[in-house]
Amino acid sequence: MARIELQNIAKNYGPVEVMRDINLEIEDGEFIVLVGPSGCGKSTLLRMIAGLEPITDGEFRVDGRRMNEVQPRDRDMAMVFQSYALYPHMDVARNMGFSLEIRKAPSQERAGKVHDAAKTLGLTSLTARLPKALSGGQRQRVAMGRAIVRDPSAFLFDEPLSNLDAALRVEMRLEIARLHQRLETTMIYVTHDQVEALTLADRIVVLNAGKIQQVGTPLDLYERPANRFVAQFIGSPTMNILEVVPADKGVLLKDGTVIGISPGTDHASASDLGVRPEHLNIVPEGSAHFSGTAELVEHLGSDTNIHTRVPGIGQVLVRQHGHVPLKTGDTVNIAMELDKVHLFAPDGQRLEPVLGSG
Amino acid sequence: MSAHRHSSPLAVTGKYLALALYVGFALFPLYWLAKIAVTPDKLIYTEGTALVPSSFTLENFRTVLVATDFLYYFRNSLVVSLTTAAITTCIAAAAGYAFSRFTFRGKRLVVAIMLITQMFPLLMIIAPIYKIVAAVGLLNSLTSLIIVYTAFNIPFATFLMQSFFDGIPKDLEEAGMMDGCTRFQALRKIVLPLTLPGLGATLGFIFTAAWSELLFALMLINSNDTMTFPVGLLTFVSKFSVDWGQMMAAGVLALVPSCLFFIFIQRYLVQGLTSGAVKG
Ligand SMILES: Nc1ncnc2c1ncn2[C@@H]1O[C@H](COP(=O)(O)OP(=O)(O)O)[C@@H](O)[C@H]1O
Ligand SMILES: [Mg+2]
């Protein structure tokens, strides 16, 4: 049980400010994913929550109690490290039971809990091995087991899957999701992989350069990104950004095409138009917003990605469901789904539709 | 992926030949030491350059053990070297841990000073050291040697220990602290077991250095009771002759503790204890 609050958290390394104005409330049992590019401060934030890194400023509370100065061992949180950090001189069972050993739990209780966790994670046959005799995936499981055995009030994960190969990553992702459903414990999960973020999170916190860009459900972030950074970070392939200037009843693309915008959108200060590749369609010539030449066509089976060069506008990526029989050099006529188009101000903020006007 | 390499037999032969040459070169003085130790005195000069003496004797060893003060010297050396090694390693481990894990004011200054001490020619400070030791009345005591050796070995031993601590991922201690350890518990239960190879290497290094030190021992000790082995060895040189056979026999005996020590710690040296700690 843990309701975690971060209030105006800031972090400096000496004179260097790496994080500021972090405000976040995490409900008990919530699965929160911190996502952002490498170096944006995800690990630092997680380590401040864990108590491994001092908090420079602000207040960190768990269930209403200030925890800034509390030692890691008294925070009742378990952490899974990116490197797994298994104790190399202890076998799997002792690794998993180490927290209980330190707390001087009776050895019967310890053995029972370790056995249960090992069973959950399919490690029963490996409990006598040393970490060096395990594969990467097995080590990852042991690291998870060590956290589960604790029965902590919150789990902290720092890119736990980034050292696994793709197939194993998908499998472990499912397992973590299942674990959360079963335990209903607060989880804070750090990743730079937006697919992990979108699939696991109740709510996602997007960080960039030490600041929170947006907090929201995966669908929130996809449909209503707060700014250009979030828009381009969430969603794969990346959202197309086209330069525009405001016009009378819409915006003007650089090649002169007028894009009518649904009434109510405050487009007077628009400088960029964002549209996801999946919200572009290939249409007959007459109904296209613009046309270009296919430079590269990726046939993925379920989808086709068409990298198109549009004169006067630049590179545009179109994603179509299923197989599209196009090849390099073909002319592509493209229409946007106008209700899915985003407009951004020069400072990168998304322009909200102004309800009620026009 | 390690590609399977087919080495030509010629290359293999060459490799082993080079290895054999190197080992022969390195071990030859030791062989000569042992050879002279078992050669009867009267043959030493007549068969001076023969690789194998025409007859063997253990007489030199017997004389050294029963008729000279060798066992005293030996005991003194053992006391000095073991104590120095133990004290130095403890201090170096503590200091090395601090250098490896903490940032604190003056860290760079301390490191710089420690480096500078390593650059001084020893000869320059022999006289001041003598004055200091004499002033505190520690001349002719094993304590003086222990103090001096410890002081001189700490900088290097500290760097050595620091590099061993640097090799242990910080994550491990942090995992321990998340698991409920205090920093000290994490140090004792996680870092210490993994540092055993480092402690072994440092102990061995300091022991050997103290065991064979001659300069300070010569300066600070001149009573027979407190002579260490390297000084004692010089008593085999008299005004008129050198007891080569006995000297070499004593030398062979003096190698024994060093060898035993390294045999004892070598399993810690070769063990890759940290393997498996982090991703494979
Ligand atoms: N010990 C440190 N001293 C100085 N700067 C640091 C230290 N640790 C991290 N940083 C800086 O803080 C920023 C955030 O780092 P980190 O939290 O590790 O990023 P992420 O986990 O998102 O990749 C980076 O710019 C990094 O250079
Ligand atoms: Mg990180």
Side-chain angles (χ1 to χ4, degrees), chain A residues 110-352:
Chain A
R110 210 194 304 165
K113 285 191 172 171
V114 168
H115 180 259
D116 290 348
K119 211 164 123 192
T120 311
L121 292 163
L123 292 168
T124 327
S125 60
L126 305 175
T127 47
R129 288 209 199 161
L130 286 177
K132 68 179 167 206
L134 300 177
S135 71
Q138 291 164 338
R139 285 177 199 175
Q140 214 284 329
R141 279 164 192 274
V142 176
M144 299 257 297
R146 194 165 67 180
I148 297 174
V149 165
R150 296 265 313 270
D151 192 18
S153 63
F155 286 92
L156 310 177
F157 297 91
D158 191 356
E159 310 213 17
L161 307 183
S162 61
N163 290 328
L164 300 179
D165 62 48
L168 215 48
R169 199 148 57 207
V170 174
E171 189 189 321
M172 286 310 294
R173 203 169 73 203
L174 267 173
E175 208 144 325
I176 291 175
R178 242 180 261 137
L179 189 71
H180 181 244
Q181 276 171 10
R182 190 165 61 83
L183 301 176
E184 295 180 333
T185 309
T186 311
M187 292 190 176
I188 307 179
Y189 186 106
V190 162
T191 179
H192 63 264
D193 180 352
Q194 50 131 340
V195 180
E196 270 173 36
L198 291 168
T199 51
L200 286 170
D202 291 329
R203 282 193 302 154
I204 297 177
V205 178
V206 183
L207 282 167
N208 188 34
K211 290 214 303 223
I212 292 185
Q213 304 294 311
Q214 188 172 6
V215 183
T217 64
L219 208 59
D220 275 345
L221 301 192
Y222 181 83
E223 289 183 340
R224 286 179 298 281
N227 54 38
R228 244 183 80 166
F229 176 82
V230 177
Q232 290 205 282
F233 193 80
I234 299 292
S236 168
T238 309
M239 179 185 282
N240 295 294
I241 299 286
L242 315 176
E243 269 181 51
V244 293
V245 289
D248 213 12
K249 283 216 160 71
V251 292
L252 210 56
L253 288 177
K254 268 200 323 191
D255 69 344
T257 314
V258 178
I259 307 292
I261 297 294
S262 55
T265 302
D266 165 30
H267 65 270
S269 60
S271 73
D272 290 295
L273 177 152
V275 57
R276 297 191 185 279
E278 54 269 38
H279 299 146
L280 292 172
N281 294 311
I282 294 177
V283 293
E285 197 176 345
S287 47
H289 285 115
F290 43 78
S291 305
T293 317
E295 283 196 324
L296 174 68
V297 184
E298 297 167 337
H299 299 284
L300 304 176
S302 61
D303 297 286
T304 308
N305 291 341
I306 305 123
H307 298 261
T308 313
R309 172 154 296 283
V310 181
I313 291 179
Q315 199 75 29
V316 175
L317 175 58
V318 183
R319 171 171 235 183
Q320 297 287 277
H321 256 306
H323 177 67
V324 179
L326 276 173
K327 57 185 190 307
T328 306
D330 286 352
T331 299
V332 187
N333 302 308
I334 301 168
M336 298 186 268
E337 294 175 23
L338 288 181
D339 55 335
K340 304 263 172 63
V341 161
H342 308 276
L343 288 179
F344 300 102
D347 64 359
Q349 292 304 307
R350 178 169 172 271
L351 297 170
E352 281 295 326

Side-chain angles (χ1 to χ4, degrees), chain B residues 221-245:
Chain B
I221 306 285
N222 53 31
S223 90
N224 212 43
D225 297 351
T226 48
M227 265 186 201
T228 56
F229 162 77
V231 185
L233 210 53
L234 293 179
T235 60
F236 292 98
V237 184
S238 69
K239 228 171 215 166
F240 309 106
S241 72
V242 179
D243 267 323
W244 286 114

Side-chain angles (χ1 to χ4, degrees), chain B residues 48 121 123 142 228 257:
Chain B
L123 282 171
L142 296 181
T228 56

